Amino acid sequence: MLVEVRRKETLLKAGALQDAIFNSANFSSIATDEKGVIQIFNVGAERMLGYAAAEVLNKITPADISDPQELIARAKSLSAELGTTIKPGFEALVFKASRGIEDIYELTQIRKDQSRFPALVSVTALREAQGGIIGYLLIGTDNSARKQVEAERMLLDQRLRDQQFYTRSLIESTIDALMTTDPRGIITDVNKQMEALTGCTRDELIGAPFKDYFTDPERAEAGIKLVLSEGKVSNYELTARARDGKETAVSYNATTFHDRDRTLKGVFAAARDVTERQLFVQKLQETNAELEKANVAKREFLAVMSHEIRTPMNGILGMTELTLNTELTPSQRDYLGVVKDSAESLLKLLNDLLDFSKIEAGKLELESIDFDLRDTLGDTVQSLATPASQKGLELDFHIEPDVPDALVGDPHRLRQIVVNLVGNALKFTECGKISVQVESGGTLEGQALVRFAVVDTGIGIAPEAHQSIFSAFEQADTSTTRRYGGTGLGLAITRQIVELMGGKIEVESELGRGSTFSFTARFGLQPDRRGLDQLPELENVRVLAVDGHETNRLFLRELLAGWRMDVVVAESARAALQELAAAHRAGQPFALIIADTMMEEMDGFGLAEQIKNDPVLRGTSLILLTATGRREDSNRCRAFGVAAQLDKPVRPSLLLDSILETLGGRWRKRAVSATIPLQRPLRILLAEDNAVNQRVARVNLEAWGHAVTVANDGIVALAALELTPFDLILMDSQMPRMGGFEATAAIRAGERNTGGHVPIVAMTANVMKGFREECLAAGMDGYVAKPIRLDKLVAAMAAAVPDLLSGAPGSSVESATAPIAASGGKRPFDSVGLLAGAGGDWALVREMIQLCCEVDGPRLSRELALAVGQGDLSGVELAAHGIKGLVGEFHATAACDLARSLEETARQRLGDAVPELAAELEREFQRLVAALQLFLGESKDTVAANQNPHPPTIP
């Protein structure tokens, strides 16, 4: 009884489960009889098809809710498949199931509202116990969602195929050979261009190592590693090799690529054929070489033409000068003056053409040497005073007090700029004045910006010509009947030089109202050293400056006040006499008067006569400044008590010399660097072939307590090192037999075996750009340019031998003093710089002059003449270098510049220009020798009492 109850419960539960499945709303369940008439229509069928069960039961078959066309198509398909005729309709839906074949198919069903949806239908035959079919069960699901997903997937697939096609088309359309590799450098894909480049098919390339298709596999593999390490690589040049051996130069560019998880997948690379580009570059290089040859030929042509024209021009100028010194009629003198002016104009044109050629070829380089701005400009402007005076023009220059004086740059090119601009002003100014003005533009990072201006009262320049005048062969005056000569090269060259100096040139002008040419330039700053303002002997000395021009009075006031003198200015000789009288009454008389010779009502000589005739004022010293360019009668100067007469515009250092000489014959003392506290004396080897330079260096070094051994060349220096250990070597760069570079190389080679190191400081007259770095690269420890300044020598020694200096106070190394006879003439050397460079030792100065005039000078002149005569350019270069070092000790600017130019000309192997330059240098050198001998004679009487009681001897 209990078992039967449990069986009924189980059956009930099973029936309940069947009811739950059959009546599920998630799928349709339709049962039919054997003829297909619907007998069961569950809730899922009602929901999917929109019919109520009562509307379809015993009324329709499933074929009635199916797409008729699909039924026809299914019947046809099954008939062909099963080899029997199947009727469209319900039979087509259940035929397979009736034969016991599992059947699941998709077809479109039609809802009550005639809307359609895809349905997935499973058909099962219902059989009785004996196996006969009593009906069919059709279970269906709405397939719309799946169909939509499939449609979307198909759309995505199509888009992906489209994208792949586009990408492939893009890859194949590029001119570059493209490929991808995995991180190991194995090719994973290529384009047609890669196939063409290698001569291999895509299938052959995929899976092969990238490096195998290049002439340098190691470099190709390194390219892959480089892009993997850096993320990309550009313009990595390789040479591809095809299967047939053809080689192609390619530029390889590559980058890494990653998947969406940022995992490295490999390298994408492009190789572009650059064979034509390389051929183009090669052709361009060949063209540039041809152009350079043409430029060289042009420069050589200009040099040859310069030489060929200069030689007869020198003859013309020389003979013209000689003839002008003979007795001539006024007409003859006038004719010869025209010849002389024309010859000088032609020489200037040649110089401009040579400079312009250098600029065009990029061969114009600036020097970088120490120079004094005020002396440089003073010399430059003073050299132009005579032509200004001949035209009746006033020429002055003014430098603001805050402009630094001790600069580093190219004074020769600065002079060239100023001469060019002032020369133009002289050419285009008929009356009035020309002024050179200098002001500071500030300093930054060890450089000074200096602003220069040349102001004139000339004819002016039309606005439309302001820019064109700085172009080559352009002038403001373009008329066919030009009144003013010239080629138009001067300002073009000036602009280029200014730009090389880191500056800019401009013009402000108005027709009929004059012009202002202004330019800026950048210069280095010399290390701190004593300037002209540190003169205790001039402090508070009363001086009266007399000049009719306000600009000149301002210049004198600032200059004299800079030396800490008590300055009063007067605008005329009569005003000066009033100031003198007032000062005497106040008990504060003037110690010195500096007066212009050319003043209205009463000139400088008239003022001198008044002072001499006044018993109260006759003791006042007087220095006269003249702008006429003519030297007055020395007897007249002595008669009026004039201490010195100087040309305007006056050079500050020359004026200072005259003031110091006038005020009691005192010479300003120069301390080397205030004090030189020595930690220990050094054993110094001085390798120098110039006797004057040997003497200067040796006297000063021994005065500081050092022991000095002199070697005349590098071979002797090496021999000396074998015998004596030295603490320091001062090495000249150019010496006979063995120069400084060769000697340094030998010393450093020996030290590599011994482990020692002796400091070497280069001591050379070569101040060309980059030479200091060349010395250091050769193994030297320091560099000092000639002429040697003692403070710079001390600094170089201290840098090379760190324990040389100590903090302990030491004795001041001061020079002896010696008066220099007053002289208003302009010497070809700087007497102030000469004595200062010798540490104030007059005996040493005398010995230097004797060595120059009697020993080294004649020897170097002979060597130069012999080298020129034999066409030995190396010999010319060596001799010119020796002369440059020799005259540099005397601060002989003109001779030093000529020697430097000759040395550089010989170095560049411009042989045709050498004879003329050598002749000019010889003339200037002989002029220097004569001036030094005269200087020695002038000072002979006054030096005896001041000579060193122990005169040095020649080592």
Side-chain angles (χ1 to χ4, degrees), residues 609-676:
E609 186 176 11
Q610 291 279 350
I611 293 172
K612 180 175 177 57
N613 294 333
D614 189 323
V616 175
L617 303 178
R618 67 175 55 173
T620 308
S621 298
L622 178 62
I623 295 175
L624 291 181
L625 309 179
T626 178
T628 62
R630 298 189 300 270
R631 309 303 305 158
E632 299 293 341
D633 182 26
S634 59
N635 292 327
R636 190 180 180 195
C637 288
R638 284 194 293 272
F640 291 146
V642 176
Q645 184 181 3
L646 307 176
D647 289 334
K648 291 175 65 178
V650 66
R651 197 176 81 179
S653 60
L654 188 58
L655 178 60
L656 179 62
D657 290 350
S658 297
I659 292 174
L660 290 168
E661 294 161 9
T662 299
L663 297 178
R666 291 173 290 172
W667 185 260
R668 53 182 164 138
K669 298 181 179 180
R670 176 184 176 88
V672 175
S673 64
T675 60
I676 305 178

Coordinates of all heavy atoms in Angstrom, one line a residue, residues 609-676:
E609 N 102.2 132.2 -24.0 CA 103.0 133.5 -23.9 C 102.5 134.3 -22.7 O 103.3 134.8 -21.9 CB 102.9 134.3 -25.2 CG 103.8 135.5 -25.2 CD 103.7 136.2 -26.6 OE1 102.8 135.9 -27.4 OE2 104.5 137.1 -26.8
Q610 N 101.2 134.4 -22.5 CA 100.7 135.1 -21.4 C 101.1 134.5 -20.1 O 101.5 135.2 -19.1 CB 99.1 135.1 -21.4 CG 98.5 135.9 -22.6 CD 98.4 137.4 -22.3 OE1 98.6 137.8 -21.1 NE2 98.1 138.2 -23.3
I611 N 101.1 133.2 -20.0 CA 101.5 132.5 -18.7 C 103.0 132.8 -18.5 O 103.4 133.0 -17.3 CB 101.2 131.0 -18.8 CG1 99.7 130.8 -18.9 CG2 101.9 130.2 -17.7 CD1 99.3 129.4 -19.2
K612 N 103.8 132.6 -19.5 CA 105.3 132.8 -19.4 C 105.6 134.3 -18.9 O 106.5 134.5 -18.1 CB 106.0 132.5 -20.7 CG 107.5 132.7 -20.6 CD 108.2 132.3 -21.9 CE 109.7 132.5 -21.8 NZ 110.3 131.9 -20.7
N613 N 104.8 135.2 -19.4 CA 105.1 136.6 -19.1 C 104.5 137.0 -17.7 O 104.8 138.2 -17.3 CB 104.6 137.6 -20.2 CG 105.4 137.4 -21.5 OD1 106.5 137.0 -21.5 ND2 104.7 137.6 -22.6
D614 N 103.7 136.2 -17.1 CA 103.1 136.5 -15.8 C 104.0 135.9 -14.7 O 104.1 134.7 -14.6 CB 101.7 135.9 -15.8 CG 100.9 136.4 -14.5 OD1 101.5 136.5 -13.5 OD2 99.7 136.6 -14.7
P615 N 104.6 136.7 -13.9 CA 105.5 136.2 -12.8 C 104.8 135.2 -11.9 O 105.4 134.3 -11.4 CB 105.9 137.5 -12.1 CG 105.6 138.6 -13.0 CD 104.4 138.2 -13.8
V616 N 103.4 135.4 -11.7 CA 102.7 134.5 -10.8 C 102.4 133.1 -11.4 O 102.5 132.1 -10.8 CB 101.4 135.2 -10.4 CG1 100.5 134.2 -9.5 CG2 101.7 136.5 -9.6
L617 N 102.2 133.1 -12.7 CA 101.7 131.9 -13.4 C 102.8 131.2 -14.1 O 102.6 130.0 -14.6 CB 100.6 132.2 -14.4 CG 99.4 132.9 -13.8 CD1 98.4 133.3 -15.0 CD2 98.7 132.1 -12.8
R618 N 104.0 131.8 -14.3 CA 105.0 131.2 -15.2 C 105.5 129.8 -14.7 O 106.0 129.1 -15.5 CB 106.2 132.1 -15.3 CG 107.0 132.3 -14.0 CD 108.3 133.2 -14.3 NE 107.9 134.4 -14.9 CZ 108.8 135.4 -15.1 NH1 110.0 135.3 -14.7 NH2 108.4 136.6 -15.6
G619 N 105.3 129.5 -13.5 CA 105.7 128.1 -13.0 C 104.7 127.0 -13.4 O 105.0 125.8 -13.1
T620 N 103.5 127.4 -14.0 CA 102.5 126.4 -14.3 C 102.9 125.6 -15.6 O 103.3 126.3 -16.6 CB 101.2 127.0 -14.5 OG1 100.9 127.8 -13.4 CG2 100.1 126.0 -14.7
S621 N 102.9 124.3 -15.5 CA 103.3 123.5 -16.7 C 102.2 123.5 -17.7 O 101.0 123.6 -17.4 CB 103.6 122.1 -16.3 OG 104.7 122.0 -15.4
L622 N 102.6 123.4 -19.0 CA 101.6 123.5 -20.1 C 101.8 122.4 -21.2 O 103.0 122.2 -21.6 CB 101.7 124.9 -20.8 CG 100.8 125.2 -22.0 CD1 99.3 125.1 -21.6 CD2 101.1 126.5 -22.6
I623 N 100.8 121.7 -21.5 CA 100.8 120.8 -22.6 C 99.8 121.3 -23.7 O 98.6 121.6 -23.3 CB 100.4 119.4 -22.1 CG1 101.4 118.8 -21.1 CG2 100.2 118.4 -23.3 CD1 101.0 117.5 -20.5
L624 N 100.2 121.3 -24.9 CA 99.4 121.8 -26.0 C 98.9 120.6 -26.9 O 99.6 119.7 -27.1 CB 100.1 122.8 -26.9 CG 100.5 124.2 -26.2 CD1 101.2 125.1 -27.2 CD2 99.2 124.9 -25.8
L625 N 97.6 120.7 -27.3 CA 97.0 119.7 -28.2 C 96.7 120.4 -29.5 O 96.1 121.5 -29.5 CB 95.7 119.2 -27.6 CG 95.8 118.7 -26.1 CD1 94.4 118.2 -25.7 CD2 96.8 117.6 -26.0
T626 N 97.1 119.8 -30.6 CA 96.9 120.4 -31.9 C 96.2 119.4 -32.8 O 96.4 118.2 -32.8 CB 98.3 120.8 -32.6 OG1 98.0 121.3 -33.9 CG2 99.2 119.6 -32.7
A627 N 95.2 120.0 -33.6 CA 94.4 119.2 -34.5 C 94.9 119.4 -36.0 O 94.3 118.9 -36.9 CB 93.0 119.5 -34.4
T628 N 95.9 120.2 -36.2 CA 96.3 120.6 -37.5 C 97.2 119.5 -38.2 O 97.3 119.5 -39.4 CB 97.2 121.9 -37.5 OG1 98.4 121.6 -36.8 CG2 96.4 123.0 -36.9
G629 N 97.7 118.6 -37.4 CA 98.6 117.6 -38.0 C 100.0 118.1 -38.3 O 100.8 117.4 -38.8
R630 N 100.2 119.4 -38.0 CA 101.6 119.9 -38.2 C 102.3 120.2 -36.9 O 101.7 120.6 -35.9 CB 101.4 121.3 -39.0 CG 100.8 121.2 -40.3 CD 100.9 122.5 -41.1 NE 100.3 123.6 -40.4 CZ 99.0 123.9 -40.5 NH1 98.2 123.2 -41.3 NH2 98.5 124.9 -39.8
R631 N 103.6 119.8 -36.8 CA 104.3 120.1 -35.6 C 104.8 121.5 -35.7 O 105.4 122.0 -36.7 CB 105.5 119.1 -35.6 CG 105.2 117.6 -35.8 CD 104.2 117.2 -34.8 NE 104.6 117.4 -33.4 CZ 103.8 117.5 -32.4 NH1 102.5 117.3 -32.6 NH2 104.3 117.7 -31.2
E632 N 104.6 122.2 -34.6 CA 105.1 123.6 -34.5 C 106.6 123.6 -34.2 O 107.2 122.6 -33.8 CB 104.3 124.3 -33.4 CG 102.8 124.4 -33.6 CD 102.5 125.2 -34.8 OE1 103.3 126.0 -35.2 OE2 101.4 125.1 -35.3
D633 N 107.2 124.8 -34.4 CA 108.6 125.0 -34.2 C 109.0 124.6 -32.7 O 108.4 125.2 -31.8 CB 109.0 126.4 -34.5 CG 110.5 126.6 -34.4 OD1 111.3 125.6 -34.5 OD2 110.9 127.8 -34.1
S634 N 109.9 123.7 -32.6 CA 110.3 123.3 -31.2 C 110.9 124.4 -30.4 O 110.8 124.5 -29.2 CB 111.3 122.1 -31.2 OG 112.4 122.4 -32.0
N635 N 111.6 125.3 -31.1 CA 112.2 126.5 -30.4 C 111.1 127.4 -29.9 O 111.2 127.9 -28.8 CB 113.0 127.3 -31.4 CG 114.3 126.6 -31.8 OD1 114.8 125.8 -31.1 ND2 114.7 126.8 -33.1
R636 N 110.0 127.5 -30.6 CA 108.8 128.3 -30.1 C 108.2 127.6 -28.9 O 107.9 128.3 -27.9 CB 107.8 128.4 -31.2 CG 106.7 129.4 -30.9 CD 105.7 129.5 -32.1 NE 104.7 130.5 -31.8 CZ 103.5 130.5 -32.5 NH1 103.3 129.7 -33.5 NH2 102.6 131.4 -32.2
C637 N 108.1 126.3 -28.9 CA 107.6 125.6 -27.7 C 108.5 125.9 -26.5 O 108.0 126.1 -25.4 CB 107.5 124.1 -28.0 SG 106.2 123.7 -29.1
R638 N 109.8 125.7 -26.7 CA 110.7 126.0 -25.6 C 110.7 127.4 -25.1 O 110.7 127.7 -23.9 CB 112.2 125.6 -26.0 CG 112.4 124.1 -26.0 CD 113.9 123.8 -26.1 NE 114.5 124.2 -27.4 CZ 114.5 123.5 -28.5 NH1 114.0 122.3 -28.5 NH2 115.0 124.0 -29.6
A639 N 110.5 128.3 -26.0 CA 110.5 129.7 -25.7 C 109.3 130.1 -24.8 O 109.4 130.9 -23.9 CB 110.5 130.6 -26.9
F640 N 108.2 129.4 -25.0 CA 107.0 129.7 -24.3 C 106.8 128.7 -23.1 O 105.8 128.8 -22.4 CB 105.8 129.6 -25.2 CG 105.7 130.7 -26.2 CD1 105.1 130.5 -27.4 CD2 106.1 132.0 -25.9 CE1 105.0 131.5 -28.4 CE2 106.0 133.0 -26.8 CZ 105.5 132.8 -28.1
G641 N 107.8 127.8 -22.9 CA 107.7 126.9 -21.7 C 106.7 125.8 -21.9 O 106.2 125.3 -20.9
V642 N 106.5 125.4 -23.2 CA 105.5 124.3 -23.4 C 106.3 123.0 -23.2 O 107.3 122.7 -23.7 CB 105.0 124.3 -24.9 CG1 104.1 123.1 -25.2 CG2 104.3 125.6 -25.1
A643 N 105.7 122.2 -22.3 CA 106.3 120.9 -21.9 C 106.2 119.9 -23.0 O 107.1 119.1 -23.2 CB 105.7 120.4 -20.6
A644 N 105.1 119.8 -23.7 CA 104.9 118.8 -24.7 C 103.7 119.3 -25.7 O 102.9 120.0 -25.3 CB 104.5 117.5 -24.1
Q645 N 103.8 118.9 -26.9 CA 102.8 119.2 -27.9 C 102.3 117.8 -28.5 O 103.1 117.1 -29.0 CB 103.3 120.1 -29.0 CG 102.2 120.5 -29.9 CD 102.7 121.4 -31.0 OE1 103.9 121.7 -31.1 NE2 101.8 121.9 -31.9
L646 N 101.0 117.5 -28.4 CA 100.5 116.2 -28.8 C 99.4 116.5 -29.9 O 98.7 117.5 -29.9 CB 99.8 115.5 -27.6 CG 100.7 115.3 -26.4 CD1 99.9 114.6 -25.3 CD2 101.9 114.5 -26.7
D647 N 99.3 115.5 -30.8 CA 98.3 115.6 -31.9 C 96.9 115.2 -31.3 O 96.8 114.3 -30.5 CB 98.7 114.6 -33.0 CG 99.9 115.1 -33.8 OD1 100.1 116.3 -33.8 OD2 100.6 114.3 -34.4
K648 N 95.9 115.9 -31.8 CA 94.5 115.5 -31.5 C 94.0 114.6 -32.6 O 94.4 114.8 -33.8 CB 93.7 116.7 -31.4 CG 94.0 117.6 -30.2 CD 93.2 118.9 -30.1 CE 91.7 118.6 -30.0 NZ 90.9 119.9 -29.9
P649 N 93.0 113.7 -32.3 CA 92.6 113.4 -31.0 C 93.7 112.6 -30.2 O 94.3 111.7 -30.8 CB 91.3 112.5 -31.3 CG 91.6 111.9 -32.6 CD 92.3 112.9 -33.4
V650 N 93.9 113.0 -29.0 CA 95.0 112.5 -28.3 C 94.7 111.1 -27.7 O 93.6 110.8 -27.3 CB 95.4 113.5 -27.1 CG1 94.2 113.5 -26.1 CG2 96.7 113.1 -26.5
R651 N 95.7 110.3 -27.8 CA 95.6 108.9 -27.2 C 95.8 109.0 -25.7 O 96.7 109.7 -25.2 CB 96.7 108.0 -27.8 CG 96.4 106.5 -27.6 CD 97.4 105.7 -28.3 NE 98.6 105.6 -27.5 CZ 99.7 104.8 -27.8 NH1 99.7 104.2 -29.0 NH2 100.7 104.8 -27.1
P652 N 94.9 108.4 -24.9 CA 95.0 108.5 -23.4 C 96.3 108.2 -22.9 O 96.9 108.9 -22.0 CB 93.9 107.6 -22.9 CG 92.9 107.6 -24.0 CD 93.7 107.6 -25.3
S653 N 96.9 107.0 -23.3 CA 98.2 106.6 -22.7 C 99.3 107.6 -23.0 O 100.2 107.9 -22.2 CB 98.6 105.2 -23.2 OG 98.7 105.2 -24.6
L654 N 99.3 108.2 -24.3 CA 100.3 109.2 -24.6 C 100.1 110.5 -23.8 O 101.1 111.1 -23.4 CB 100.2 109.5 -26.1 CG 101.3 110.3 -26.7 CD1 102.7 109.7 -26.5 CD2 101.1 110.6 -28.2
L655 N 98.9 110.9 -23.6 CA 98.7 112.0 -22.7 C 99.1 111.8 -21.3 O 99.8 112.6 -20.7 CB 97.2 112.4 -22.7 CG 96.8 113.6 -21.8 CD1 97.5 114.8 -22.3 CD2 95.3 113.8 -21.9
L656 N 98.9 110.5 -20.8 CA 99.3 110.2 -19.5 C 100.8 110.2 -19.4 O 101.4 110.7 -18.4 CB 98.8 108.8 -19.1 CG 99.2 108.3 -17.8 CD1 98.6 109.2 -16.7 CD2 98.7 106.8 -17.6
D657 N 101.5 109.7 -20.4 CA 103.0 109.8 -20.4 C 103.5 111.2 -20.2 O 104.3 111.5 -19.4 CB 103.5 109.2 -21.7 CG 103.4 107.7 -21.8 OD1 103.0 107.1 -20.8 OD2 103.6 107.2 -22.9
S658 N 102.9 112.1 -21.1 CA 103.3 113.5 -21.1 C 103.0 114.1 -19.7 O 103.8 114.9 -19.2 CB 102.6 114.2 -22.2 OG 103.0 113.7 -23.4
I659 N 101.9 113.8 -19.1 CA 101.5 114.4 -17.8 C 102.5 114.0 -16.8 O 103.0 114.8 -16.0 CB 100.1 114.0 -17.4 CG1 99.1 114.7 -18.4 CG2 99.8 114.4 -16.0 CD1 97.6 114.2 -18.1
L660 N 102.8 112.7 -16.7 CA 103.7 112.1 -15.7 C 105.1 112.7 -15.9 O 105.8 113.0 -14.9 CB 103.7 110.6 -15.8 CG 102.4 109.9 -15.3 CD1 102.4 108.5 -15.6 CD2 102.3 110.1 -13.8
E661 N 105.5 112.8 -17.2 CA 106.9 113.3 -17.4 C 106.9 114.8 -17.1 O 107.9 115.3 -16.5 CB 107.2 113.2 -18.9 CG 107.4 111.7 -19.3 CD 107.2 111.5 -20.8 OE1 107.2 112.5 -21.5 OE2 107.2 110.3 -21.2
T662 N 105.8 115.5 -17.4 CA 105.8 117.0 -17.1 C 105.8 117.3 -15.6 O 106.5 118.2 -15.2 CB 104.6 117.6 -17.8 OG1 104.6 117.4 -19.2 CG2 104.5 119.1 -17.5
L663 N 105.1 116.4 -14.8 CA 105.0 116.7 -13.4 C 106.2 116.1 -12.7 O 106.1 115.1 -11.9 CB 103.7 116.1 -12.9 CG 102.4 116.7 -13.4 CD1 101.2 116.0 -12.8 CD2 102.4 118.2 -13.1
G664 N 107.4 116.6 -12.9 CA 108.5 116.3 -12.1 C 109.3 115.1 -12.7 O 110.1 114.5 -12.0
G665 N 109.0 114.7 -13.9 CA 109.8 113.6 -14.5 C 109.5 112.2 -13.8 O 110.4 111.3 -13.9
R666 N 108.4 112.0 -13.2 CA 108.1 110.8 -12.5 C 107.5 109.8 -13.5 O 106.8 110.2 -14.5 CB 107.1 111.0 -11.4 CG 107.7 111.7 -10.2 CD 106.6 112.1 -9.2 NE 105.7 113.1 -9.7 CZ 104.6 113.4 -9.1 NH1 104.3 112.8 -8.0 NH2 103.8 114.3 -9.6
W667 N 107.8 108.5 -13.3 CA 107.2 107.4 -14.1 C 106.3 106.6 -13.3 O 106.6 106.3 -12.1 CB 108.3 106.6 -14.7 CG 107.8 105.5 -15.6 CD1 107.5 104.3 -15.4 CD2 107.4 105.8 -17.0 NE1 107.0 103.7 -16.5 CE2 106.9 104.6 -17.5 CE3 107.4 106.9 -17.8 CZ2 106.5 104.4 -18.8 CZ3 107.0 106.8 -19.1 CH2 106.5 105.6 -19.6
R668 N 105.1 106.3 -13.8 CA 104.2 105.5 -13.0 C 104.7 104.2 -12.7 O 105.2 103.5 -13.6 CB 102.8 105.4 -13.7 CG 102.9 104.9 -15.1 CD 101.5 104.9 -15.7 NE 101.6 104.8 -17.1 CZ 100.7 104.0 -17.8 NH1 99.8 103.3 -17.2 NH2 100.8 103.9 -19.1
K669 N 104.6 103.7 -11.5 CA 105.1 102.4 -11.1 C 104.0 101.3 -11.4 O 102.9 101.6 -11.3 CB 105.4 102.4 -9.6 CG 106.4 103.4 -9.2 CD 106.7 103.4 -7.7 CE 107.8 104.4 -7.3 NZ 108.0 104.3 -5.8
R670 N 104.6 100.2 -11.8 CA 103.7 99.1 -12.1 C 104.0 97.9 -11.2 O 105.1 97.4 -11.2 CB 103.9 98.7 -13.6 CG 103.0 97.5 -13.9 CD 103.4 97.1 -15.4 NE 102.6 95.9 -15.7 CZ 101.4 95.9 -16.2 NH1 100.8 97.0 -16.4 NH2 100.8 94.7 -16.5
A671 N 103.0 97.5 -10.4 CA 103.2 96.3 -9.6 C 102.7 95.1 -10.5 O 101.7 95.2 -11.2 CB 102.4 96.4 -8.4
V672 N 103.4 94.0 -10.4 CA 103.1 92.9 -11.2 C 101.6 92.4 -10.9 O 100.8 92.2 -11.8 CB 104.1 91.7 -11.0 CG1 103.6 90.5 -11.7 CG2 105.4 92.1 -11.4
S673 N 101.3 92.1 -9.7 CA 99.9 91.8 -9.4 C 99.7 92.2 -7.9 O 99.3 91.5 -7.1 CB 99.6 90.4 -9.6 OG 100.3 89.6 -8.7
A674 N 100.2 93.4 -7.6 CA 100.3 94.0 -6.3 C 101.4 93.2 -5.5 O 102.4 93.8 -5.1 CB 99.0 93.9 -5.6
T675 N 101.2 92.0 -5.1 CA 102.2 91.2 -4.4 C 102.1 89.8 -5.0 O 101.2 89.3 -5.6 CB 101.9 91.1 -2.9 OG1 100.6 90.5 -2.8 CG2 101.9 92.5 -2.3
I676 N 103.3 89.1 -4.9 CA 103.4 87.8 -5.4 C 104.0 86.9 -4.3 O 105.2 86.7 -4.2 CB 104.3 87.7 -6.6 CG1 103.8 88.6 -7.7 CG2 104.3 86.2 -7.1 CD1 104.6 88.6 -9.0

